[in-house]
C-alpha cells in the first residue's frame, strides 16, 4: 500500500477512534484516574467492550481466513517493567498515549504538555534502547506466545469463550455501578458534590 | 445511542466502535490498533533535523518511514480531529485543565499541572516503548489476540497504576 493511501485510511479511522474516545468520556483525566483508584469504572467498561468486540471480530476474520493475527512477542521483563512504568505515567498524566490526543481535540491545554512529554519519552527510549535497555528488553523472551497456542485450542474457541466471560462480567458491573452516575453531571468524572470554587479556580 | 450531538455515549457503545476498528486495521494495514509507536516516528523524524546520526540507530530507522508507521501517525492525528468535532457537536469543548485536578491534588496551579502532564507523558510513552505497546496496542489489541505478553503488560500497567493513583491523589 502507498504511504498516501495508508495516511488517508489512518485519518479516517482516527477520526472515528477520536470520536469514540470523546463520547465514551475517557478523554477526561478524571475518568482515567478514578478508574485507577478503582472508585469508578467507565474506562474499564469501555476497555473491556473494545476487547470483547475485538475477540469476536478477530474470531470471525481468522475463522474465514480474512486476517492473520499479529500478536506482540512475549518479553517477560520488558512487559512487566514497561507495563508498570506505563501505569505510573498514565496516572501522573491522567491520560494514555491514545487518549491524550482526544484530550487535545476537546481543548484541554495540559494535554499538549502530556503529548510533548510523550515525544521526549519516545526519544529517550530510542537513544537508550541499543545500550542501556537491551538487557531488560531481551530477558525472558518467548516469541509470539498466545493463550490459544499454549492451550492447544483453535483461536476462535478460546476467544469467543473469553468474550462471553467479559460480557457476563460487564452485565454484572453495570448493574452494580451504572455508567450515567459514574461520569458526573459535567461528563468529566467529577461527581455532583464537587465544590464550585474548586471548579472556578482551575479555569485557566 | 449513536447521536453525534449527545455529550456521552455509554462506554459499551464507545468500546464496541473501537473494537470494530480492528476490521479495517487488519484488513487494510495488516496490523492491530495501536498508538504509541507513532511517538517514535514523529520524534525521530524531528530529532533527525538536529541529530542526523539518529538514523544510525536501528530502532529509530525502523520507525521513521513506511506505510505502517505513517498510518499510525495519521491515526493519532485523526483522533485529535475526531475528538474536536465530537466535542463541538455536543457543545462540550474543554479548556485549561480539568476541574478534577483541583479536587484530586488540593493546592493546584496551572503551572504545576502542566509540569505534571509533561512528566507523566514522558514516563507513559517511555514505559509503553519498553513494553512495546500501550493501552491500545497491548490492551485493546493484544488481549483481543490472546497474546500472553499483553496479559502480563496490562496486569503490570493496572497494578502499578492502581497503587500510584491511591498514593498520590485524594479520592474524588
Amino acid at each position: 500500500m502507498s504511504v498516501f493511501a495508508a495516511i488517508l485510511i489512518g485519518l479516517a479511522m482516527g477520526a472515528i477512534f477520536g470520536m469514540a474516545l470523546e463520547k465514551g468520556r475517557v478523554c477526561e483525566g478524571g475518568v482515567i484516574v478514578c478508574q485507577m483508584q478503582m472508585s469508578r469504572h467507565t474506562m474499564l467498561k469501555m476497555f473491556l467492550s473494545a476487547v470483547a468486540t475485538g475477540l469476536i471480530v478477530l474470531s470471525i476474520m481468522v475463522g474465514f481466513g480474512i486476517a492473520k493475527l499479529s500478536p506482540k512477542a512475549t518479553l517477560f521483563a520488558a512487559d512487566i517493567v514497561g507495563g508498570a512504568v506505563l501505569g505510573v505515567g498514565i496516572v501522573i498524566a491522567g491520560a494514555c498515549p491514545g487518549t491524550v490526543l482526544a484530550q487535545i481535540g476537546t481543548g484541554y491545554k495540559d494535554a499538549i504538555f502530556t503529548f510533548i512529554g510523550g515525544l521526549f519519552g519516545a526519544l529517550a527510549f530510542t537513544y537508550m534502547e541499543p545500550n542501556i535497555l537491551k538487557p531488560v528488553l531481551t530477558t525472558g523472551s518467548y516469541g509470539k506466545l498466545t493463550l490459544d497456542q499454549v492451550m492447544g485450542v483453535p483461536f476462535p474457541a478460546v476467544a469467543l469463550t473469553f468474550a462471553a466471560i467479559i460480557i457476563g462480567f460487564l452485565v454484572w458491573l453495570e448493574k452494580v455501578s451504572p455508567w450515567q452516575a459514574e461520569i458526573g453531571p459535567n461528563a468529566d468524572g467529577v461527581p455532583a458534590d464537587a465544590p464550585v470554587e474548586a471548579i472556578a479556580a482551575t479555569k485557566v | 445511542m449513536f447521536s453525534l450531538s449527545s455529550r456521552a455515549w455509554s462506554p459499551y457503545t464507545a468500546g464496541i466502535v473501537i473494537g470494530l476498528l480492528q476490521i479495517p486495521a487488519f484488513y487494510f494495514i495488516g496490523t492491530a490498533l495501536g498508538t504509541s509507536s507513532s511517538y517514535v516516528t514523529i520524534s525521530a523524524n524531528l530529532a533527525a533535523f538536529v541529530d542526523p546520526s539518529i538514523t544510525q540507530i536501528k530502532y529509530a530507522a525502523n520507525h521513521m518511514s513506511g506505510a505502517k508507521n505513517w498510518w499510525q501517525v495519521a491515526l493519532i492525528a485523526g483522533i485529535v480531529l475526531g475528538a474536536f468535532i465530537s466535542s463541538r457537536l455536543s457543545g462540550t469543548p474543554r479548556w485549561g485543565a480539568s476541574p478534577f485536578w483541583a479536587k484530586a491534588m488540593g493546592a493546584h496551579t496551572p503551572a504545576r499541572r502542566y509540569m505534571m502532564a509533561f512528566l507523566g507523558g514522558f514516563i507513559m510513552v517511555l514505559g509503553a516503548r519498553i513494553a512495546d505497546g500501550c493501552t491500545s496496542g497491548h490492551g485493546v489489541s493484544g488481549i483481543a489476540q490472546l497474546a500472553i505478553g499483553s496479559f502480563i503488560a496490562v496486569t503490570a500497567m493496572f497494578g502499578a497504576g492502581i497503587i500510584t493513583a491511591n498514593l498520590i491523589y485524594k479520592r474524588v
Side-chain angles (χ1 to χ4, degrees):
Chain A
M1 174 175 298
S2 74
V3 174
F4 183 68
I7 286 175
L8 286 185
I9 293 169
L11 275 176
M13 289 176 65
I16 298 168
F17 199 169
M19 204 162 266
L21 292 173
E22 203 274 340
K23 295 294 186 209
R25 305 319 299 167
V26 291
C27 59
E28 298 289 348
V31 168
I32 289 174
V33 170
C34 286
Q35 179 64 65
M36 289 301 190
Q37 289 179 327
M38 298 301 273
S39 54
R40 282 182 284 279
H41 304 287
T42 306
M43 178 185 165
L44 186 66
K45 289 171 180 176
M46 190 164 155
F47 174 75
L48 289 178
S49 301
V51 170
T53 307
L55 286 164
I56 295 166
V57 160
L58 292 178
S59 291
I60 296 168
M61 290 179 86
V62 167
F64 284 94
I66 305 166
K68 222 179 121 247
L69 297 181
S70 62
K72 291 174 190 294
T74 303
L75 307 156
F76 268 102
D79 288 333
I80 293 173
V81 173
V85 173
L86 170 64
V88 171
I90 286 173
V91 169
I92 296 173
C96 311
T99 56
V100 61
L101 296 143
Q103 294 182 339
I104 292 174
T106 61
Y108 280 131
K109 218 178 281 166
D110 53 347
I112 296 167
F113 291 85
T114 311
F115 180 68
I116 295 170
L119 290 179
F120 278 101
L123 207 55
F125 177 85
T126 304
Y127 279 111
M128 289 193 291
E129 195 260 352
N131 305 311
I132 304 166
L133 291 172
K134 256 286 146 51
V136 180
L137 298 171
T138 48
T139 305
S141 173
Y142 287 83
K144 297 188 171 185
L145 209 59
T146 59
L147 199 57
D148 51 309
Q149 279 174 4
V150 173
M151 294 168 72
V153 181
F155 175 84
V158 188
L160 293 175
T161 309
F162 188 35
I165 295 170
I166 290 175
I167 293 166
F169 172 74
L170 288 176
V171 169
W172 171 79
L173 186 60
E174 180 63 19
K175 218 171 255 175
V176 180
S177 187
W179 70 269
Q180 285 98 336
E182 287 186 335
I183 62 168
N186 201 25
D188 57 3
V190 179
D193 56 6
V196 178
E197 57 276 14
I199 292 171
T202 46
K203 280 188 185 174
V204 285
Chain B
M1 194 178 172
F2 273 105
S3 167
L4 294 182
S5 61
S6 67
R7 196 169 55 170
W9 290 348
S10 86
Y12 310 106
T13 308
I16 289 168
V17 170
I18 291 171
L20 290 176
L21 284 173
Q22 302 288 9
I23 299 172
F26 275 93
Y27 189 78
F28 292 116
I29 313 295
T31 191
L33 281 185
T35 54
S36 68
S37 73
S38 60
Y39 286 77
V40 181
T41 305
I42 298 170
S43 65
N45 274 295
L46 289 175
F49 288 111
V50 188
D51 174 17
S53 72
I54 194 169
T55 53
Q56 308 290 311
I57 303 171
K58 200 169 156 257
Y59 186 81
N62 284 345
H63 283 85
M64 286 176 75
S65 59
K68 231 176 233 189
N69 287 319
W70 286 109
W71 165 77
Q72 203 183 91
V73 173
L75 186 81
I76 70 163
I79 293 176
V80 178
L81 183 72
F84 174 83
I85 295 169
S86 177
S87 65
R88 267 61 184 180
L89 287 177
S90 63
T92 322
R94 304 299 196 194
W95 56 87
S98 167
F100 170 81
W101 298 111
K103 287 219 72 180
M105 304 201 308
H108 171 81
T109 59
R112 193 171 156 213
R113 171 61 203 147
Y114 293 157
M115 266 156 52
M116 272 188 73
F118 181 88
L119 179 72
F122 184 94
I123 297 171
M124 164 182 98
V125 176
L126 179 63
R129 288 296 85 215
I130 293 172
D132 189 28
C134 60
T135 322
S136 0
H138 263 312
V140 172
S141 299
I143 294 192
Q145 295 181 82
L146 303 175
I148 304 281
S150 298
F151 281 101
I152 299 170
V154 171
T155 307
M157 178 191 98
F158 271 104
I162 289 168
I163 293 168
T164 310
N166 284 294
L167 279 179
I168 67 173
Y169 298 125
K170 285 185 277 190
R171 287 225 156 208
V172 176

